[in-house]
Amino acid sequence: CSYSPVATGESILIDIPEDLDPSTPISALFSGGPIEVRVLSHKASTVRIGIEAPMCLDILRSELVA
């Protein structure tokens, strides 16, 4: 997933899906690989980031979470 641009004070949430069994071990969440966050570019007060994570994790911009 890539998010662009990231505004000042904006946050990105990395969470597990609501339907995931709460007894799922953390090692199972990362069986698809690690979470990688990259700074793709920056200009003045704007930063563009890229996020790669296992498909079992939800990645949402904070303003999209109600």
Short mmCIF file of all heavy atoms in Angstrom, two decimals:
data_model
loop_
_atom_site.label_atom_id
_atom_site.label_comp_id
_atom_site.label_asym_id
_atom_site.label_seq_id
_atom_site.Cartn_x
_atom_site.Cartn_y
_atom_site.Cartn_z
N CYS A 1 0.84 -1.18 0.00
CA CYS A 1 0.00 0.00 0.00
C CYS A 1 0.88 1.23 0.00
O CYS A 1 1.89 1.27 0.65
CB CYS A 1 -0.85 0.02 1.25
SG CYS A 1 -1.99 -1.35 1.37
N SER A 2 0.49 2.24 -0.69
CA SER A 2 1.18 3.53 -0.64
C SER A 2 0.17 4.61 -0.29
O SER A 2 -0.95 4.57 -0.75
CB SER A 2 1.81 3.87 -1.98
OG SER A 2 2.95 3.10 -2.18
N TYR A 3 0.60 5.53 0.52
CA TYR A 3 -0.23 6.65 0.93
C TYR A 3 0.51 7.92 0.57
O TYR A 3 1.67 8.06 0.90
CB TYR A 3 -0.51 6.61 2.43
CG TYR A 3 -1.25 5.38 2.83
CD1 TYR A 3 -0.59 4.30 3.37
CD2 TYR A 3 -2.61 5.28 2.62
CE1 TYR A 3 -1.27 3.16 3.72
CE2 TYR A 3 -3.30 4.15 2.96
CZ TYR A 3 -2.63 3.08 3.51
OH TYR A 3 -3.31 1.95 3.83
N SER A 4 -0.18 8.84 -0.10
CA SER A 4 0.49 10.03 -0.56
C SER A 4 -0.52 11.15 -0.69
O SER A 4 -1.60 10.92 -1.24
CB SER A 4 1.11 9.75 -1.91
OG SER A 4 1.51 10.93 -2.53
N PRO A 5 -0.23 12.34 -0.29
CA PRO A 5 0.81 12.68 0.66
C PRO A 5 0.34 12.47 2.09
O PRO A 5 -0.85 12.31 2.32
CB PRO A 5 1.05 14.17 0.39
CG PRO A 5 -0.28 14.67 -0.07
CD PRO A 5 -0.93 13.51 -0.80
N VAL A 6 1.26 12.49 3.00
CA VAL A 6 0.93 12.40 4.41
C VAL A 6 0.96 13.81 4.98
O VAL A 6 1.97 14.49 4.90
CB VAL A 6 1.93 11.49 5.17
CG1 VAL A 6 1.63 11.49 6.65
CG2 VAL A 6 1.86 10.08 4.61
N ALA A 7 -0.15 14.27 5.50
CA ALA A 7 -0.25 15.63 6.02
C ALA A 7 0.37 15.72 7.41
O ALA A 7 0.48 14.73 8.12
CB ALA A 7 -1.72 16.05 6.07
N THR A 8 0.75 16.91 7.80
CA THR A 8 1.30 17.14 9.13
C THR A 8 0.31 16.65 10.18
O THR A 8 -0.87 16.99 10.13
CB THR A 8 1.58 18.64 9.34
OG1 THR A 8 2.50 19.06 8.35
CG2 THR A 8 2.16 18.90 10.72
N GLY A 9 0.78 15.84 11.09
CA GLY A 9 -0.06 15.35 12.18
C GLY A 9 -0.92 14.15 11.81
O GLY A 9 -1.61 13.60 12.66
N GLU A 10 -0.91 13.72 10.57
CA GLU A 10 -1.71 12.57 10.16
C GLU A 10 -1.05 11.29 10.66
O GLU A 10 0.16 11.21 10.77
CB GLU A 10 -1.80 12.52 8.63
CG GLU A 10 -2.64 11.38 8.12
CD GLU A 10 -2.71 11.35 6.61
OE1 GLU A 10 -2.18 12.26 5.96
OE2 GLU A 10 -3.29 10.40 6.10
N SER A 11 -1.86 10.30 10.97
CA SER A 11 -1.29 9.03 11.40
C SER A 11 -1.86 7.90 10.54
O SER A 11 -2.91 8.05 9.90
CB SER A 11 -1.59 8.76 12.87
OG SER A 11 -2.98 8.68 13.09
N ILE A 12 -1.15 6.80 10.53
CA ILE A 12 -1.57 5.61 9.81
C ILE A 12 -1.66 4.49 10.84
O ILE A 12 -0.76 4.30 11.64
CB ILE A 12 -0.59 5.26 8.68
CG1 ILE A 12 -0.62 6.37 7.64
CG2 ILE A 12 -0.92 3.92 8.07
CD1 ILE A 12 0.40 6.22 6.56
N LEU A 13 -2.77 3.77 10.81
CA LEU A 13 -3.00 2.70 11.77
C LEU A 13 -2.72 1.35 11.12
O LEU A 13 -3.16 1.09 10.00
CB LEU A 13 -4.45 2.73 12.25
CG LEU A 13 -4.93 4.06 12.82
CD1 LEU A 13 -6.42 4.00 13.08
CD2 LEU A 13 -4.18 4.39 14.08
N ILE A 14 -1.99 0.51 11.82
CA ILE A 14 -1.75 -0.86 11.40
C ILE A 14 -2.43 -1.73 12.45
O ILE A 14 -2.07 -1.67 13.62
CB ILE A 14 -0.25 -1.19 11.30
CG1 ILE A 14 0.40 -0.26 10.28
CG2 ILE A 14 -0.05 -2.66 10.92
CD1 ILE A 14 1.90 -0.38 10.19
N ASP A 15 -3.43 -2.48 12.03
CA ASP A 15 -4.26 -3.21 12.98
C ASP A 15 -4.59 -4.59 12.42
O ASP A 15 -4.41 -4.85 11.23
CB ASP A 15 -5.54 -2.42 13.21
CG ASP A 15 -6.26 -2.78 14.49
OD1 ASP A 15 -5.78 -3.67 15.23
OD2 ASP A 15 -7.30 -2.17 14.77
N ILE A 16 -5.08 -5.45 13.28
CA ILE A 16 -5.54 -6.76 12.83
C ILE A 16 -7.02 -6.65 12.49
O ILE A 16 -7.73 -5.83 13.06
CB ILE A 16 -5.28 -7.85 13.90
CG1 ILE A 16 -5.97 -7.49 15.21
CG2 ILE A 16 -3.80 -8.08 14.09
CD1 ILE A 16 -5.91 -8.58 16.25
N PRO A 17 -7.50 -7.44 11.54
CA PRO A 17 -8.92 -7.40 11.18
C PRO A 17 -9.80 -7.82 12.36
O PRO A 17 -9.39 -8.63 13.20
CB PRO A 17 -9.04 -8.40 10.04
CG PRO A 17 -7.65 -8.64 9.56
CD PRO A 17 -6.74 -8.36 10.71
N GLU A 18 -11.00 -7.28 12.42
CA GLU A 18 -11.92 -7.59 13.53
C GLU A 18 -12.27 -9.06 13.59
O GLU A 18 -12.53 -9.59 14.68
CB GLU A 18 -13.20 -6.76 13.38
CG GLU A 18 -12.99 -5.29 13.64
CD GLU A 18 -14.28 -4.50 13.51
OE1 GLU A 18 -15.37 -5.11 13.49
OE2 GLU A 18 -14.19 -3.27 13.44
N ASP A 19 -12.29 -9.76 12.46
CA ASP A 19 -12.70 -11.17 12.46
C ASP A 19 -11.55 -12.13 12.77
O ASP A 19 -11.74 -13.34 12.76
CB ASP A 19 -13.33 -11.52 11.12
CG ASP A 19 -12.39 -11.36 9.94
OD1 ASP A 19 -11.36 -10.68 10.09
OD2 ASP A 19 -12.71 -11.89 8.86
N LEU A 20 -10.37 -11.61 13.08
CA LEU A 20 -9.23 -12.48 13.40
C LEU A 20 -9.40 -13.05 14.80
O LEU A 20 -9.77 -12.33 15.73
CB LEU A 20 -7.92 -11.69 13.32
CG LEU A 20 -6.66 -12.52 13.50
CD1 LEU A 20 -6.44 -13.39 12.26
CD2 LEU A 20 -5.47 -11.62 13.71
N ASP A 21 -9.14 -14.32 14.95
CA ASP A 21 -9.23 -14.99 16.25
C ASP A 21 -8.23 -14.34 17.21
O ASP A 21 -7.04 -14.26 16.91
CB ASP A 21 -8.91 -16.47 16.07
CG ASP A 21 -8.99 -17.28 17.35
OD1 ASP A 21 -9.16 -16.69 18.44
OD2 ASP A 21 -8.88 -18.52 17.25
N PRO A 22 -8.69 -13.85 18.38
CA PRO A 22 -7.79 -13.16 19.31
C PRO A 22 -6.67 -14.05 19.86
O PRO A 22 -5.69 -13.56 20.39
CB PRO A 22 -8.71 -12.67 20.43
CG PRO A 22 -10.04 -13.25 20.19
CD PRO A 22 -10.07 -13.85 18.83
N SER A 23 -6.82 -15.37 19.72
CA SER A 23 -5.77 -16.26 20.22
C SER A 23 -4.68 -16.50 19.17
O SER A 23 -3.74 -17.26 19.41
CB SER A 23 -6.37 -17.59 20.66
OG SER A 23 -6.93 -18.27 19.55
N THR A 24 -4.78 -15.84 18.02
CA THR A 24 -3.77 -15.98 16.96
C THR A 24 -2.42 -15.49 17.48
O THR A 24 -2.31 -14.36 17.94
CB THR A 24 -4.17 -15.18 15.72
OG1 THR A 24 -5.44 -15.63 15.27
CG2 THR A 24 -3.15 -15.33 14.61
N PRO A 25 -1.39 -16.34 17.42
CA PRO A 25 -0.07 -15.88 17.89
C PRO A 25 0.52 -14.81 16.97
O PRO A 25 0.23 -14.77 15.77
CB PRO A 25 0.79 -17.15 17.86
CG PRO A 25 0.05 -18.12 17.03
CD PRO A 25 -1.38 -17.70 16.96
N ILE A 26 1.31 -13.95 17.53
CA ILE A 26 1.94 -12.86 16.77
C ILE A 26 2.78 -13.43 15.63
O ILE A 26 2.80 -12.85 14.55
CB ILE A 26 2.79 -11.98 17.70
CG1 ILE A 26 1.88 -11.30 18.67
CG2 ILE A 26 3.66 -11.03 16.92
CD1 ILE A 26 2.16 -9.92 19.08
N SER A 27 3.42 -14.53 15.86
CA SER A 27 4.25 -15.12 14.80
C SER A 27 3.41 -15.45 13.57
O SER A 27 3.89 -15.33 12.44
CB SER A 27 4.97 -16.37 15.31
OG SER A 27 4.03 -17.35 15.73
N ALA A 28 2.14 -15.80 13.75
CA ALA A 28 1.26 -16.10 12.61
C ALA A 28 0.94 -14.82 11.83
O ALA A 28 0.80 -14.85 10.60
CB ALA A 28 -0.02 -16.77 13.09
N LEU A 29 0.82 -13.68 12.53
CA LEU A 29 0.54 -12.41 11.85
C LEU A 29 1.68 -12.01 10.93
O LEU A 29 1.46 -11.38 9.90
CB LEU A 29 0.30 -11.30 12.87
CG LEU A 29 -0.94 -11.45 13.73
CD1 LEU A 29 -0.98 -10.33 14.76
CD2 LEU A 29 -2.20 -11.46 12.90
N PHE A 30 2.90 -12.39 11.28
CA PHE A 30 4.07 -12.01 10.50
C PHE A 30 4.59 -13.15 9.63
O PHE A 30 5.69 -13.06 9.09
CB PHE A 30 5.16 -11.47 11.42
CG PHE A 30 4.80 -10.14 12.02
CD1 PHE A 30 4.22 -10.08 13.27
CD2 PHE A 30 5.00 -8.98 11.31
CE1 PHE A 30 3.85 -8.85 13.82
CE2 PHE A 30 4.65 -7.75 11.85
CZ PHE A 30 4.07 -7.69 13.10
N SER A 31 3.80 -14.21 9.49
CA SER A 31 4.25 -15.34 8.67
C SER A 31 4.38 -14.94 7.20
O SER A 31 5.14 -15.54 6.46
CB SER A 31 3.29 -16.52 8.82
OG SER A 31 2.02 -16.19 8.31
N GLY A 32 3.65 -13.88 6.78
CA GLY A 32 3.75 -13.38 5.41
C GLY A 32 4.90 -12.42 5.21
O GLY A 32 5.10 -11.91 4.12
N GLY A 33 5.65 -12.13 6.26
CA GLY A 33 6.77 -11.21 6.17
C GLY A 33 6.62 -10.05 7.13
O GLY A 33 5.59 -9.89 7.78
N PRO A 34 7.65 -9.22 7.22
CA PRO A 34 7.62 -8.10 8.16
C PRO A 34 6.82 -6.92 7.60
O PRO A 34 6.42 -6.91 6.43
CB PRO A 34 9.10 -7.72 8.27
CG PRO A 34 9.66 -8.07 6.93
CD PRO A 34 8.91 -9.32 6.51
N ILE A 35 6.60 -5.94 8.45
CA ILE A 35 6.01 -4.67 8.01
C ILE A 35 7.18 -3.78 7.60
O ILE A 35 8.13 -3.62 8.36
CB ILE A 35 5.22 -4.00 9.14
CG1 ILE A 35 4.04 -4.87 9.54
CG2 ILE A 35 4.75 -2.61 8.72
CD1 ILE A 35 3.32 -4.39 10.77
N GLU A 36 7.10 -3.22 6.41
CA GLU A 36 8.16 -2.34 5.93
C GLU A 36 7.55 -0.98 5.64
O GLU A 36 6.59 -0.86 4.89
CB GLU A 36 8.78 -2.91 4.66
CG GLU A 36 9.91 -2.07 4.13
CD GLU A 36 10.55 -2.67 2.89
OE1 GLU A 36 10.35 -3.86 2.60
OE2 GLU A 36 11.24 -1.91 2.18
N VAL A 37 8.09 0.06 6.27
CA VAL A 37 7.65 1.43 6.05
C VAL A 37 8.81 2.18 5.41
O VAL A 37 9.92 2.18 5.95
CB VAL A 37 7.23 2.11 7.37
CG1 VAL A 37 6.79 3.55 7.12
CG2 VAL A 37 6.12 1.31 8.05
N ARG A 38 8.57 2.79 4.24
CA ARG A 38 9.63 3.50 3.52
C ARG A 38 9.21 4.95 3.29
O ARG A 38 8.05 5.23 2.99
CB ARG A 38 9.87 2.86 2.16
CG ARG A 38 10.52 1.51 2.22
CD ARG A 38 10.83 0.99 0.81
NE ARG A 38 9.71 1.13 -0.12
CZ ARG A 38 8.79 0.20 -0.30
NH1 ARG A 38 8.82 -0.92 0.36
NH2 ARG A 38 7.81 0.40 -1.17
N VAL A 39 10.16 5.84 3.41
CA VAL A 39 9.94 7.22 2.99
C VAL A 39 10.26 7.26 1.50
O VAL A 39 11.38 7.00 1.09
CB VAL A 39 10.84 8.21 3.77
CG1 VAL A 39 10.68 9.62 3.22
CG2 VAL A 39 10.53 8.16 5.25
N LEU A 40 9.24 7.53 0.69
CA LEU A 40 9.41 7.53 -0.75
C LEU A 40 9.90 8.87 -1.26
O LEU A 40 10.68 8.93 -2.21
CB LEU A 40 8.09 7.16 -1.43
CG LEU A 40 7.50 5.80 -1.04
CD1 LEU A 40 6.14 5.61 -1.70
CD2 LEU A 40 8.45 4.67 -1.41
N SER A 41 9.42 9.94 -0.64
CA SER A 41 9.88 11.28 -1.01
C SER A 41 9.47 12.26 0.07
O SER A 41 8.60 11.96 0.89
CB SER A 41 9.28 11.72 -2.36
OG SER A 41 7.88 11.83 -2.27
N HIS A 42 10.10 13.41 0.05
CA HIS A 42 9.72 14.48 0.97
C HIS A 42 9.98 15.81 0.30
O HIS A 42 10.90 15.96 -0.50
CB HIS A 42 10.47 14.38 2.31
CG HIS A 42 11.96 14.48 2.18
ND1 HIS A 42 12.62 15.68 2.16
CD2 HIS A 42 12.89 13.52 2.03
CE1 HIS A 42 13.92 15.45 2.03
NE2 HIS A 42 14.11 14.14 1.95
N LYS A 43 9.09 16.74 0.58
CA LYS A 43 9.20 18.07 0.00
C LYS A 43 8.49 19.03 0.95
O LYS A 43 7.31 18.86 1.23
CB LYS A 43 8.55 18.11 -1.38
CG LYS A 43 8.71 19.43 -2.11
CD LYS A 43 8.14 19.34 -3.51
CE LYS A 43 8.35 20.65 -4.23
NZ LYS A 43 7.81 20.61 -5.58
N ALA A 44 9.22 19.99 1.44
CA ALA A 44 8.69 20.97 2.41
C ALA A 44 8.06 20.23 3.58
O ALA A 44 8.73 19.48 4.26
CB ALA A 44 7.74 21.93 1.73
N SER A 45 6.76 20.38 3.78
CA SER A 45 6.11 19.74 4.93
C SER A 45 5.32 18.50 4.52
O SER A 45 4.49 18.01 5.28
CB SER A 45 5.17 20.74 5.63
OG SER A 45 4.15 21.12 4.72
N THR A 46 5.59 17.96 3.33
CA THR A 46 4.88 16.77 2.86
C THR A 46 5.84 15.60 2.74
O THR A 46 6.93 15.74 2.20
CB THR A 46 4.24 17.04 1.48
OG1 THR A 46 3.35 18.14 1.59
CG2 THR A 46 3.49 15.83 0.97
N VAL A 47 5.42 14.46 3.27
CA VAL A 47 6.21 13.24 3.18
C VAL A 47 5.33 12.18 2.53
O VAL A 47 4.18 11.99 2.91
CB VAL A 47 6.67 12.75 4.57
CG1 VAL A 47 7.39 11.42 4.47
CG2 VAL A 47 7.54 13.79 5.24
N ARG A 48 5.86 11.49 1.55
CA ARG A 48 5.16 10.38 0.92
C ARG A 48 5.79 9.10 1.44
O ARG A 48 7.01 8.93 1.36
CB ARG A 48 5.28 10.46 -0.59
CG ARG A 48 4.52 9.39 -1.29
CD ARG A 48 4.56 9.58 -2.78
NE ARG A 48 3.86 8.45 -3.37
CZ ARG A 48 3.91 8.14 -4.64
NH1 ARG A 48 4.61 8.87 -5.47
NH2 ARG A 48 3.27 7.10 -5.09
N ILE A 49 4.94 8.19 1.96
CA ILE A 49 5.46 6.94 2.50
C ILE A 49 4.84 5.76 1.77
O ILE A 49 3.78 5.86 1.18
CB ILE A 49 5.22 6.80 4.01
CG1 ILE A 49 3.73 6.76 4.32
CG2 ILE A 49 5.89 7.91 4.79
CD1 ILE A 49 3.42 6.37 5.74
N GLY A 50 5.53 4.64 1.83
CA GLY A 50 5.03 3.38 1.29
C GLY A 50 5.05 2.36 2.40
O GLY A 50 5.97 2.35 3.22
N ILE A 51 4.04 1.53 2.45
CA ILE A 51 3.94 0.50 3.49
C ILE A 51 3.70 -0.84 2.82
O ILE A 51 2.79 -0.97 2.01
CB ILE A 51 2.78 0.79 4.47
CG1 ILE A 51 2.98 2.13 5.14
CG2 ILE A 51 2.66 -0.32 5.50
CD1 ILE A 51 1.81 2.57 5.98
N GLU A 52 4.51 -1.82 3.17
CA GLU A 52 4.29 -3.19 2.74
C GLU A 52 4.11 -4.01 3.99
O GLU A 52 4.90 -3.91 4.93
CB GLU A 52 5.47 -3.71 1.93
CG GLU A 52 5.57 -3.07 0.56
CD GLU A 52 6.63 -3.72 -0.31
OE1 GLU A 52 6.88 -4.93 -0.17
OE2 GLU A 52 7.21 -2.98 -1.11
N ALA A 53 3.04 -4.81 4.02
CA ALA A 53 2.73 -5.62 5.20
C ALA A 53 1.98 -6.87 4.76
O ALA A 53 1.39 -6.89 3.67
CB ALA A 53 1.88 -4.80 6.18
N PRO A 54 1.98 -7.89 5.61
CA PRO A 54 1.20 -9.09 5.29
C PRO A 54 -0.28 -8.73 5.06
O PRO A 54 -0.81 -7.80 5.67
CB PRO A 54 1.36 -9.96 6.54
CG PRO A 54 2.65 -9.51 7.15
CD PRO A 54 2.72 -8.04 6.87
N MET A 55 -0.93 -9.45 4.18
CA MET A 55 -2.32 -9.18 3.83
C MET A 55 -3.28 -9.33 5.01
O MET A 55 -4.37 -8.77 4.99
CB MET A 55 -2.77 -10.11 2.69
CG MET A 55 -2.06 -9.83 1.38
SD MET A 55 -2.39 -8.18 0.73
CE MET A 55 -4.12 -8.33 0.36
N CYS A 56 -2.88 -10.06 6.05
CA CYS A 56 -3.78 -10.26 7.19
C CYS A 56 -3.88 -9.01 8.07
O CYS A 56 -4.69 -8.97 8.99
CB CYS A 56 -3.34 -11.45 8.03
SG CYS A 56 -1.73 -11.24 8.83
N LEU A 57 -3.09 -7.98 7.80
CA LEU A 57 -3.13 -6.74 8.58
C LEU A 57 -3.89 -5.66 7.83
O LEU A 57 -3.80 -5.57 6.60
CB LEU A 57 -1.71 -6.25 8.89
CG LEU A 57 -0.86 -7.20 9.72
CD1 LEU A 57 0.55 -6.66 9.84
CD2 LEU A 57 -1.45 -7.42 11.09
N ASP A 58 -4.64 -4.87 8.56
CA ASP A 58 -5.35 -3.73 7.98
C ASP A 58 -4.48 -2.49 8.15
O ASP A 58 -3.99 -2.23 9.25
CB ASP A 58 -6.68 -3.49 8.68
CG ASP A 58 -7.70 -4.59 8.42
OD1 ASP A 58 -7.60 -5.25 7.36
OD2 ASP A 58 -8.58 -4.79 9.27
N ILE A 59 -4.30 -1.72 7.08
CA ILE A 59 -3.55 -0.48 7.13
C ILE A 59 -4.48 0.63 6.64
O ILE A 59 -4.93 0.61 5.51
CB ILE A 59 -2.28 -0.55 6.26
CG1 ILE A 59 -1.40 -1.71 6.73
CG2 ILE A 59 -1.52 0.78 6.29
CD1 ILE A 59 -0.21 -1.98 5.87
N LEU A 60 -4.78 1.55 7.53
CA LEU A 60 -5.74 2.61 7.22
C LEU A 60 -5.21 3.97 7.65
O LEU A 60 -4.56 4.08 8.69
CB LEU A 60 -7.06 2.36 7.96
CG LEU A 60 -7.77 1.05 7.65
CD1 LEU A 60 -8.91 0.82 8.63
CD2 LEU A 60 -8.29 1.06 6.23
N ARG A 61 -5.54 4.98 6.89
CA ARG A 61 -5.26 6.34 7.32
C ARG A 61 -6.23 6.65 8.45
O ARG A 61 -7.39 6.25 8.42
CB ARG A 61 -5.44 7.31 6.17
CG ARG A 61 -4.35 7.11 5.11
CD ARG A 61 -4.62 7.89 3.89
NE ARG A 61 -4.36 9.32 4.12
CZ ARG A 61 -3.93 10.13 3.18
NH1 ARG A 61 -3.71 9.67 1.97
NH2 ARG A 61 -3.72 11.38 3.43
N SER A 62 -5.78 7.36 9.45
CA SER A 62 -6.59 7.59 10.65
C SER A 62 -7.92 8.26 10.36
O SER A 62 -8.92 7.98 11.01
CB SER A 62 -5.79 8.38 11.69
OG SER A 62 -5.41 9.63 11.16
N GLU A 63 -7.98 9.12 9.35
CA GLU A 63 -9.25 9.80 9.07
C GLU A 63 -10.28 8.87 8.46
O GLU A 63 -11.45 9.21 8.36
CB GLU A 63 -9.04 11.04 8.20
CG GLU A 63 -8.67 10.75 6.77
CD GLU A 63 -7.18 10.71 6.51
OE1 GLU A 63 -6.37 10.67 7.45
OE2 GLU A 63 -6.79 10.74 5.33
N LEU A 64 -9.88 7.68 8.04
CA LEU A 64 -10.81 6.71 7.48
C LEU A 64 -11.41 5.79 8.54
O LEU A 64 -12.33 5.03 8.25
CB LEU A 64 -10.12 5.86 6.41
CG LEU A 64 -9.56 6.64 5.22
CD1 LEU A 64 -8.84 5.69 4.28
CD2 LEU A 64 -10.66 7.39 4.50
N VAL A 65 -10.91 5.85 9.75
CA VAL A 65 -11.40 5.00 10.84
C VAL A 65 -12.48 5.75 11.58
O VAL A 65 -12.26 6.85 12.06
CB VAL A 65 -10.25 4.62 11.79
CG1 VAL A 65 -10.77 3.77 12.92
CG2 VAL A 65 -9.15 3.90 11.04
N ALA A 66 -13.65 5.17 11.66
CA ALA A 66 -14.75 5.86 12.35
C ALA A 66 -14.97 5.31 13.74
O ALA A 66 -14.73 4.22 14.07
CB ALA A 66 -16.03 5.74 11.55
#
